[in-house]
């Protein structure tokens, strides 16, 4: 079985359901980190324009690099915002 590069799999090879845009929003995260694999451009975007049901990694399917026009992009959590949020909530710093 061919694996989806935007999904995580457990030890038995079962697909792990990814968080959705709505899940991230519920955690107070409204941004995402996007990386272009062609020109290595890295940007932070807001996720406001994406529907809550959309699997977070699949934001990449709807994007095109604003630098080189490539669709070979990947989306990850905006780690800086994630840590800032965690710090604000718990007082802990990573
Ligand atoms: Zn690019």
């Amino acid at each position: 079985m061919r694996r989806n590069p935007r999904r995580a799999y457990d030890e038995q090879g079962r697909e792990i359901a990814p968080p959705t845009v709505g899940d991230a929003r519920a955690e107070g995260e409204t941004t995402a980190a996007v990386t272009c694999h062609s020109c290595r451009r890295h940007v932070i975007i807001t996720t406001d324009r994406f529907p809550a049901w959309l699997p977070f990694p699949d934001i990449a399917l709807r994007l095109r690099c604003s630098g080189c026009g490539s669709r070979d992009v990947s989306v990850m959590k905006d780690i800086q915002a994630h840590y800032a949020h965690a710090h604000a909530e718990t007082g802990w710093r990573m």
Side-chain angles (χ1 to χ4, degrees):
M1 197 180 80
R2 195 160 164 270
R3 292 188 173 196
N4 183 331
R6 289 180 309 282
R7 293 291 182 275
Y9 294 85
D10 69 12
E11 286 166 12
Q12 277 77 47
R14 286 183 299 234
E15 185 177 310
I16 299 168
T20 63
V21 171
D23 291 336
R25 235 172 244 155
E27 292 173 14
E29 291 170 32
T30 56
T31 52
V34 183
T35 302
C36 173
H37 296 291
S38 294
C39 71
R40 298 278 152 200
R41 187 183 171 88
H42 181 80
V43 294
I44 301 296
I45 61 163
T46 66
T47 58
D48 300 352
R49 65 194 144 127
F50 301 109
W53 56 263
L54 187 72
F56 198 81
D58 288 357
I59 290 173
L61 300 177
R62 299 178 172 222
L63 297 176
R64 183 188 292 271
C65 176
S66 56
C68 71
S70 170
R71 299 191 72 98
D72 185 16
V73 300
S74 63
V75 173
M76 300 202 325
K77 273 182 170 237
D78 178 359
I79 281 301
Q80 299 301 336
H82 181 69
Y83 287 167
H85 183 69
H87 177 66
E89 206 158 74
T90 65
W92 285 91
R93 195 178 285 279
M94 306 288 274

